[in-house]
PDB file of all heavy atoms in Angstrom:
ATOM      1  N   SER A  79      -7.187   6.746 133.550  1.00 98.00           N
ATOM      2  CA  SER A  79      -7.127   7.392 132.238  1.00 98.00           C
ATOM      3  C   SER A  79      -8.019   8.627 132.213  1.00 98.00           C
ATOM      4  O   SER A  79      -9.108   8.630 132.786  1.00 98.00           O
ATOM      5  CB  SER A  79      -7.601   6.425 131.139  1.00 98.00           C
ATOM      6  OG  SER A  79      -6.691   5.368 130.954  1.00 98.00           O
ATOM      7  N   LYS A  80      -7.514   9.668 131.543  1.00 98.00           N
ATOM      8  CA  LYS A  80      -8.320  10.857 131.278  1.00 98.00           C
ATOM      9  C   LYS A  80      -8.786  10.784 129.830  1.00 98.00           C
ATOM     10  O   LYS A  80      -7.962  10.701 128.913  1.00 98.00           O
ATOM     11  CB  LYS A  80      -7.495  12.131 131.477  1.00 98.00           C
ATOM     12  CG  LYS A  80      -6.833  12.238 132.849  1.00 98.00           C
ATOM     13  CD  LYS A  80      -7.837  12.504 133.951  1.00 98.00           C
ATOM     14  CE  LYS A  80      -7.139  12.784 135.280  1.00 98.00           C
ATOM     15  NZ  LYS A  80      -8.080  12.723 136.407  1.00 98.00           N
ATOM     16  N   VAL A  81     -10.078  10.823 129.634  1.00 98.00           N
ATOM     17  CA  VAL A  81     -10.648  10.791 128.282  1.00 98.00           C
ATOM     18  C   VAL A  81     -10.587  12.216 127.729  1.00 98.00           C
ATOM     19  O   VAL A  81     -11.257  13.113 128.244  1.00 98.00           O
ATOM     20  CB  VAL A  81     -12.093  10.273 128.327  1.00 98.00           C
ATOM     21  CG1 VAL A  81     -12.738  10.352 126.948  1.00 98.00           C
ATOM     22  CG2 VAL A  81     -12.124   8.842 128.869  1.00 98.00           C
ATOM     23  N   MET A  82      -9.729  12.435 126.713  1.00 98.00           N
ATOM     24  CA  MET A  82      -9.428  13.783 126.233  1.00 98.00           C
ATOM     25  C   MET A  82     -10.253  14.138 124.994  1.00 98.00           C
ATOM     26  O   MET A  82     -10.589  13.281 124.180  1.00 98.00           O
ATOM     27  CB  MET A  82      -7.943  13.905 125.872  1.00 98.00           C
ATOM     28  CG  MET A  82      -6.970  13.546 126.993  1.00 98.00           C
ATOM     29  SD  MET A  82      -7.035  14.671 128.406  1.00 98.00           S
ATOM     30  CE  MET A  82      -6.314  16.143 127.661  1.00 98.00           C
ATOM     31  N   SER A  83     -10.496  15.449 124.842  1.00 98.00           N
ATOM     32  CA  SER A  83     -11.212  15.938 123.660  1.00 98.00           C
ATOM     33  C   SER A  83     -10.215  16.397 122.596  1.00 98.00           C
ATOM     34  O   SER A  83      -9.015  16.524 122.850  1.00 98.00           O
ATOM     35  CB  SER A  83     -12.113  17.114 124.031  1.00 98.00           C
ATOM     36  OG  SER A  83     -11.354  18.309 124.134  1.00 98.00           O
ATOM     37  N   THR A  84     -10.751  16.681 121.415  1.00 98.00           N
ATOM     38  CA  THR A  84      -9.935  17.201 120.323  1.00 98.00           C
ATOM     39  C   THR A  84      -9.352  18.576 120.653  1.00 98.00           C
ATOM     40  O   THR A  84      -8.420  19.027 119.977  1.00 98.00           O
ATOM     41  CB  THR A  84     -10.786  17.329 119.051  1.00 98.00           C
ATOM     42  OG1 THR A  84     -12.014  17.988 119.392  1.00 98.00           O
ATOM     43  CG2 THR A  84     -11.080  15.980 118.451  1.00 98.00           C
ATOM     44  N   GLU A  85      -9.889  19.254 121.658  1.00 98.00           N
ATOM     45  CA  GLU A  85      -9.357  20.553 122.053  1.00 98.00           C
ATOM     46  C   GLU A  85      -8.457  20.440 123.284  1.00 98.00           C
ATOM     47  O   GLU A  85      -8.164  21.436 123.956  1.00 98.00           O
ATOM     48  CB  GLU A  85     -10.507  21.530 122.319  1.00 98.00           C
ATOM     49  CG  GLU A  85     -11.416  21.746 121.122  1.00 98.00           C
ATOM     50  CD  GLU A  85     -10.664  22.176 119.868  1.00 98.00           C
ATOM     51  OE1 GLU A  85      -9.807  23.070 119.965  1.00 98.00           O
ATOM     52  OE2 GLU A  85     -10.918  21.602 118.790  1.00 98.00           O
ATOM     53  N   GLY A  86      -8.070  19.210 123.612  1.00 97.00           N
ATOM     54  CA  GLY A  86      -7.119  19.012 124.710  1.00 97.00           C
ATOM     55  C   GLY A  86      -7.726  19.136 126.091  1.00 97.00           C
ATOM     56  O   GLY A  86      -7.002  19.311 127.069  1.00 97.00           O
ATOM     57  N   ARG A  87      -9.046  19.057 126.202  1.00 98.00           N
ATOM     58  CA  ARG A  87      -9.689  19.145 127.518  1.00 98.00           C
ATOM     59  C   ARG A  87     -10.071  17.748 128.008  1.00 98.00           C
ATOM     60  O   ARG A  87     -10.356  16.856 127.215  1.00 98.00           O
ATOM     61  CB  ARG A  87     -10.945  20.024 127.432  1.00 98.00           C
ATOM     62  CG  ARG A  87     -10.619  21.462 127.000  1.00 98.00           C
ATOM     63  CD  ARG A  87     -11.730  22.406 127.393  1.00 98.00           C
ATOM     64  NE  ARG A  87     -13.001  22.125 126.733  1.00 98.00           N
ATOM     65  CZ  ARG A  87     -14.173  22.541 127.187  1.00 98.00           C
ATOM     66  NH1 ARG A  87     -14.249  23.234 128.320  1.00 98.00           N
ATOM     67  NH2 ARG A  87     -15.291  22.270 126.518  1.00 98.00           N
ATOM     68  N   VAL A  88     -10.121  17.610 129.331  1.00 98.00           N
ATOM     69  CA  VAL A  88     -10.538  16.339 129.913  1.00 98.00           C
ATOM     70  C   VAL A  88     -12.060  16.250 129.848  1.00 98.00           C
ATOM     71  O   VAL A  88     -12.756  17.110 130.381  1.00 98.00           O
ATOM     72  CB  VAL A  88     -10.051  16.204 131.370  1.00 98.00           C
ATOM     73  CG1 VAL A  88     -10.502  14.858 131.955  1.00 98.00           C
ATOM     74  CG2 VAL A  88      -8.539  16.331 131.444  1.00 98.00           C
ATOM     75  N   MET A  89     -12.565  15.212 129.193  1.00 98.00           N
ATOM     76  CA  MET A  89     -14.011  15.025 129.086  1.00 98.00           C
ATOM     77  C   MET A  89     -14.533  14.196 130.260  1.00 98.00           C
ATOM     78  O   MET A  89     -15.558  14.520 130.858  1.00 98.00           O
ATOM     79  CB  MET A  89     -14.380  14.329 127.781  1.00 98.00           C
ATOM     80  CG  MET A  89     -13.854  15.028 126.535  1.00 98.00           C
ATOM     81  SD  MET A  89     -14.439  14.255 125.010  1.00 98.00           S
ATOM     82  CE  MET A  89     -16.022  15.081 124.797  1.00 98.00           C
ATOM     83  N   LEU A  90     -13.821  13.097 130.562  1.00 98.00           N
ATOM     84  CA  LEU A  90     -14.211  12.206 131.655  1.00 98.00           C
ATOM     85  C   LEU A  90     -12.945  11.610 132.260  1.00 98.00           C
ATOM     86  O   LEU A  90     -11.900  11.553 131.606  1.00 98.00           O
ATOM     87  CB  LEU A  90     -15.097  11.047 131.168  1.00 98.00           C
ATOM     88  CG  LEU A  90     -16.363  11.377 130.380  1.00 98.00           C
ATOM     89  CD1 LEU A  90     -16.103  11.181 128.890  1.00 98.00           C
ATOM     90  CD2 LEU A  90     -17.541  10.523 130.819  1.00 98.00           C
ATOM     91  N   SER A  91     -13.062  11.172 133.514  1.00 98.00           N
ATOM     92  CA  SER A  91     -11.974  10.463 134.180  1.00 98.00           C
ATOM     93  C   SER A  91     -12.449   9.048 134.484  1.00 98.00           C
ATOM     94  O   SER A  91     -13.547   8.857 135.002  1.00 98.00           O
ATOM     95  CB  SER A  91     -11.606  11.147 135.497  1.00 98.00           C
ATOM     96  OG  SER A  91     -11.236  12.491 135.273  1.00 98.00           O
TER      97      SER A  91
END
Side-chain angles (χ1 to χ4, degrees):
Chain A
S79 291
K80 305 289 187 194
V81 175
M82 304 294 290
S83 79
T84 48
E85 301 306 314
R87 299 200 296 160
V88 180
M89 305 185 86
L90 306 100
S91 302

